[in-house]
Amino acid sequence: MDRFAWTSGLLELGETLVVQQRGVRLCDGEEKVKFDSGVLLLSTHRLIWRDQKNHECCIAIPLSQIVFIEEQAAGIGKSAKIVVHLHPASSNKEPGPFQSSKYSYIKLSFKEHGQIEFYRRLSEEMTQRRWENMPAGQTIQVNKDPRAGRIRAVGIVGIERKLEEKRKETDKNISEAKEMVELSKSIANKIKEKQGDITEDETIRFKSYLLSMGIANPVTRETYGSGTHYHMQLAKQLAGILQTPLEERGGIMSLTEVYCLVNRARGLELLSPEDLVNACKMLESLKLPLRLRIFDSGVMVIELQSHNEEEMVASALETVSEKGSLTADEFAKLVGMSVLLAKERLLLAEKMGHLCRDDSVEGLRFYPNLFLTQS
Amino acid sequence: MHRRGVGAGAIAKKKLAEAKYKERGTVLAEDQLAQMSKQLDMFKTNLEEFASKHKQEIRKNPEFRVQFQDMCATIGVDPLASGKGFWSEMLGVGDFYYELGVQIIEVCLALKHRNGGLITLEELHQQVLKGRGKFAQDVSQDDLLRAIKKLKVLGNGFGIIPVGGTYLIQSVPAELNMDHTVVLQLAEKKGYVTVSEIRSSLKWETERAKQVLEHLLKEGMAWLDTQAAGEPQYWLPALFTELYSQDITPEEAKEAIP
């Protein structure tokens, strides 16, 4: 921690902010210090830490001081950390919070996450070494200590060896995955050749194989679209799960709402967005009490079969007439709907000729269509 | 006398031949289906073995996730297509991204009234991390982008707009064409843009610049500052860096999915 210097925290000319993360604690080697809650900023030239409670307290260290960095995974009750190994402090360093330290490394503890991104960016800056090309102000200390290169912090060689091993294993993972993916590709090609001679049942079987593999489906049959048995089952399940929520929300919900509701309820084995869409596309053909509807804008909703959006338009017209005019936001608040669906209803009313729009920079406002009623 | 081709007999023969060919075709199809089924089983076994060794790696190592995804993409396989896919069931990649999708939707909905449905990837990242809490797995910006790409299919207007080295995430079905995008990119440097700047940088007519800015105002993505010295400035709340540190208020959280 003795490599840090007090700073104003302002960026120098030529220095750019790369990434910042709040909720970071600094540790001097293995020991905690009073800098326990701050915003950590990475610039092209420095690592800056500012206390979250006292903005005046701000310290920085030039990136040129860093020998190398490594990640320390989170544990139970422990945040993830980045360990930063440092060159010895140069003799002409500006004053800082510590005169000396028995450690040659510091730890950055990410109490509010963000270490993955920070580590990535810091690694990039360490590789690019942009501070060498753009000398910025006098606060950057170029480390002229000739011993720096040859001093090795304790255990660096061992650490580097471990990193190399880890890299090799990951490469092995990737090549194994590649083999399997090649296998799936050959199967996909076989499927393409099969078009024409196959029965409905067999097609469904093929599709379920593709589904397992995550291969884009080249076969679409009229009866079930790009769905499979899985999606059929899912459609039936959805009909059960969504009945009550739909009734509570006036008979209509956007697909994003459904996605969140269903996945929050599941907790595990979540549905992919595509699963949801494919299942919903089958609702009508399976004669279930819900249906998928796609508005002109592309917004997708699930409606109860008993729900009649056109009837709702009539009541929307009444509401708008009572108030003289309404924006989608105002209408949504009045009726207790989401703004997205409120807007769709007003647009539908306009399409049916009941409302007129006034489109200005102050927003989109709807009025009853007097051209129709008062001619 | 043997006449060729004509007559009921010939027709019947032809029909029989056709039926036989069809049958043959079906038999071939069945053979290959069986073969495919076997290959699939082998694939599944291999994947199970792979998963038992490396499932943790996928969950904990974002670089591995990126490499894995990129590779699948070059070969034409989408491991995130379905929660029912092998990839998802065995490697658990699916749940990670689908849950992230839910969190992204909630953050975008909560902040929509502030920024009109446009948010920088950085701010989204910060807010999602906050929402996930201390004990959840960390996520990278790449993870967010992949989850967002999957969300597009829900029809809610999710889009990714590249601006100045980062991305703006759109979460409302507002139409943003190339003109709008290019103005957003211009505004990214300072957080705001003026008509004169558009005219000089992009060489557009005033009318074209005004139309684009008005559209952004209407969508709530830009705010107008008429008190600025010189000419009016069009600010994009999505680009205000101060907003990064602001929390989502309880009212805003209620706006999000219950």
Side-chain angles (χ1 to χ4, degrees):
Chain A
M1 279 299 300
D2 61 334
R3 278 67 155 180
F4 274 94
W6 294 110
T7 177
S8 63
L10 296 172
L11 295 180
E12 305 285 328
L13 214 60
E15 185 183 9
T16 333
L17 182 65
V18 174
V19 69
Q20 64 184 29
Q21 178 62 48
R22 37 176 276 163
V24 180
R25 159 191 277 143
L26 297 181
C27 298
D28 182 24
E30 297 302 323
E31 291 170 10
K32 291 194 180 151
V33 289
K34 62 181 173 171
F35 301 112
D36 69 343
S37 190
V39 183
L40 186 66
L41 297 101
L42 172 67
S43 78
T44 43
H45 292 66
R46 298 179 288 167
L47 208 53
I48 306 170
W49 186 94
R50 178 189 287 121
D51 195 319
Q52 267 169 229
K53 299 188 207 85
N54 174 16
H55 290 257
E56 304 273 299
C57 173
C58 191
I59 52 177
I61 190 170
L63 294 182
S64 54
Q65 284 286 134
I66 302 179
V67 177
F68 81 100
I69 57 175
E70 47 174 346
E71 289 180 285
Q72 207 172 63
I76 307 198
K78 290 196 192 150
S79 319
K81 299 179 176 57
I82 297 179
V83 183
V84 184
H85 295 266
L86 302 165
H87 289 298
S90 54
S91 42
N92 57 344
K93 176 182 88 64
E94 303 273 324
F98 289 85
Q99 296 298 80
S100 65
S101 164
K102 61 183 196 230
Y103 297 97
S104 63
Y105 64 97
I106 55 168
K107 289 194 184 183
L108 312 171
S109 181
F110 289 79
K111 302 194 289 186
E112 292 179 26
H113 293 302
Q115 88 282 355
I116 294 183
E117 202 53 41
F118 206 93
Y119 182 82
R120 181 172 80 84
R121 298 301 195 115
L122 185 51
S123 306
E124 257 175 48
E125 291 306 318
M126 296 298 300
T127 317
Q128 290 180 25
R129 304 180 80 86
R130 288 194 272 178
W131 67 84
E132 287 175 355
N133 308 332
M134 305 182 284
Q138 311 101 309
T139 44
I140 303 306
Q141 307 293 324
V142 176
N143 196 316
K144 291 202 166 68
D145 192 335
R147 294 177 298 141
R150 280 182 265 126
I151 291 179
R152 303 290 254 170
V154 175
I156 278 190
V157 175
I159 292 168
E160 284 186 335
R161 202 183 298 138
K162 251 200 256 172
L163 285 175
E164 190 51 46
E165 268 177 37
K166 211 166 150 196
R167 217 169 291 139
K168 281 210 187 111
E169 259 189 49
T170 310
D171 280 345
K172 195 164 150 267
N173 295 348
I174 302 291
S175 62
E176 272 186 41
K178 194 172 184 186
E179 270 178 47
M180 287 182 293
V181 167
E182 284 300 328
L183 178 56
S184 64
K185 194 183 183 185
S186 81
I187 296 175
N189 281 334
K190 290 212 164 87
I191 292 165
K192 285 217 175 99
E193 294 163 22
K194 290 319 294 150
Q195 302 245 26
D197 291 347
I198 307 181
T199 68
E200 189 84 29
D201 272 340
E202 285 164 337
T203 310
I204 294 186
R205 260 171 80 190
F206 275 133
K207 284 192 214 167
S208 69
Y209 294 156
L210 294 182
L211 188 69
S212 315
M213 299 289 205
I215 297 171
N217 192 348
V219 181
T220 321
R221 284 279 177 132
E222 265 162 34
T223 333
Y224 297 119
S226 35
T228 64
H229 280 305
Y230 169 63
H231 293 124
M232 272 201 288
Q233 278 177 337
L234 197 47
K236 292 178 190 159
Q237 273 178 31
L238 286 173
I241 300 170
L242 296 174
Q243 185 75 28
T244 314
L246 276 170
E247 282 165 10
E248 288 171 356
R249 287 164 179 72
I252 185 170
M253 281 172 77
S254 74
L255 213 56
T256 31
E257 277 180 271
V258 173
Y259 176 77
C260 291
L261 194 91
V262 170
N263 276 342
R264 281 258 178 255
R266 280 185 157 224
L268 286 177
E269 288 180 23
L270 306 182
L271 299 183
S272 75
E274 275 158 68
D275 284 337
L276 183 61
V277 173
N278 286 334
C280 290
K281 283 184 177 161
M282 298 175 90
L283 288 171
E284 195 120 33
S285 60
L286 291 174
K287 310 240 185 307
L288 293 165
L290 322 175
R291 60 165 172 255
L292 175 69
R293 181 178 182 153
I294 307 177
F295 288 114
D296 293 342
S297 60
V299 170
M300 295 162 87
V301 298
I302 300 295
E303 296 180 319
L304 285 172
Q305 281 283 4
S306 57
H307 178 92
N308 188 332
E309 187 68 8
E310 280 71 15
E311 275 171 17
M312 304 307 283
V313 159
S315 91
L317 174 58
E318 265 183 52
T319 315
V320 174
S321 307
E322 270 171 46
K323 299 287 173 180
S325 73
L326 287 174
T327 62
D329 280 320
E330 292 164 355
F331 181 62
K333 279 214 180 69
L334 266 177
V335 177
M337 280 179 89
S338 73
V339 179
L340 184 77
L341 294 181
K343 189 169 182 192
E344 289 302 327
R345 187 166 291 171
L346 293 175
L347 287 172
L348 184 61
E350 182 195 31
K351 191 172 172 186
M352 289 166 67
H354 298 300
L355 295 178
C356 268
R357 69 166 58 192
D358 173 21
D359 206 354
S360 71
V361 292
E362 288 169 23
L364 181 57
R365 187 166 281 277
F366 290 90
Y367 290 79
N369 185 1
L370 299 176
F371 295 113
L372 200 64
T373 53
Q374 285 184 8
S375 52
Chain B
M1 187 165 47
H2 295 281
R3 285 230 225 121
R4 286 202 282 163
V6 262
I11 294 174
K13 230 197 249 176
K14 192 164 171 222
K15 279 212 166 116
L16 185 61
E18 271 174 12
K20 277 220 167 109
Y21 278 127
K22 217 170 183 185
E23 202 190 284
R24 189 107 188 279
T26 321
V27 165
L28 278 175
E30 273 175 23
D31 267 354
Q32 294 201 303
L33 253 183
Q35 188 187 11
M36 201 182 89
S37 177
K38 244 200 276 177
Q39 272 187 301
L40 205 75
D41 279 339
M42 188 166 85
F43 177 87
K44 199 175 167 195
T45 317
N46 283 345
L47 190 57
E48 271 170 342
E49 207 190 298
F50 179 79
S52 67
K53 282 190 255 167
H54 307 299
K55 191 166 177 174
Q56 290 298 327
E57 193 75 39
I58 289 223
R59 285 203 312 126
K60 301 226 164 133
N61 186 343
E63 267 171 37
F64 183 42
R65 283 200 291 274
V66 171
Q67 286 174 309
F68 178 73
Q69 299 263 25
D70 284 345
M71 259 200 30
C72 289
T74 41
I75 293 169
V77 164
D78 181 2
L80 297 183
S82 171
K84 190 79 176 132
F86 286 156
W87 311 101
S88 199
E89 288 184 335
M90 284 177 222
L91 295 178
V93 268
D95 277 8
F96 176 83
Y97 287 99
Y98 307 147
E99 184 180 15
L100 193 52
V102 173
Q103 291 160 347
I104 291 169
I105 291 172
E106 292 179 342
V107 166
C108 287
L109 224 58
L111 294 177
K112 193 178 78 161
H113 73 285
R114 269 195 226 164
N115 55 32
L118 267 189
I119 187 172
T120 57
L121 185 57
E122 275 81 20
E123 188 181 354
L124 180 61
H125 187 220
Q126 291 289 317
Q127 299 282 9
V128 165
L129 283 178
K130 268 195 229 165
R132 281 168 76 88
K134 284 172 155 306
F135 301 108
Q137 188 76 29
D138 194 2
V139 296
S140 68
Q141 287 185 1
D142 181 83
D143 290 329
L144 289 176
L145 286 174
R146 288 187 197 273
I148 292 167
K149 284 186 187 145
K150 287 283 124 192
L151 291 177
K152 282 187 183 191
V153 78
L154 295 176
N156 222 57
F158 268 95
I160 300 174
I161 303 168
V163 293
T166 177
Y167 298 95
L168 278 176
I169 307 301
Q170 178 185 355
S171 60
V172 290
E175 199 216 288
L176 291 183
N177 59 31
M178 294 247 328
D179 273 7
H180 302 124
T181 317
V182 114
V183 166
L184 288 175
Q185 289 165 346
L186 193 57
E188 193 263 343
K189 299 191 197 84
K190 293 186 287 183
Y192 72 90
V193 77
T194 60
V195 173
S196 324
E197 276 169 20
I198 295 178
R199 280 172 53 111
S200 60
S201 301
L202 303 175
K203 311 277 184 277
W204 286 3
E205 303 282 314
T206 307
E207 196 48 50
R208 185 176 174 188
K210 281 207 168 137
Q211 264 193 24
V212 167
L213 292 171
E214 275 183 18
H215 181 82
L216 293 175
L217 276 179
K218 279 187 206 169
E219 292 298 336
M221 294 173 179
W223 294 356
L224 180 58
D225 178 7
T226 47
Q227 291 177 331
E231 61 177 303
Q233 292 171 345
Y234 294 78
W235 286 80
L236 276 94
L239 301 172
F240 293 175
T241 28
E242 298 92 67
L243 285 178
Y244 287 9
S245 51
Q246 274 183 36
D247 287 329
I248 293 179
T249 64
E251 293 78 39
E252 286 167 337
K254 256 193 256 159
E255 277 298 306
I257 309 291

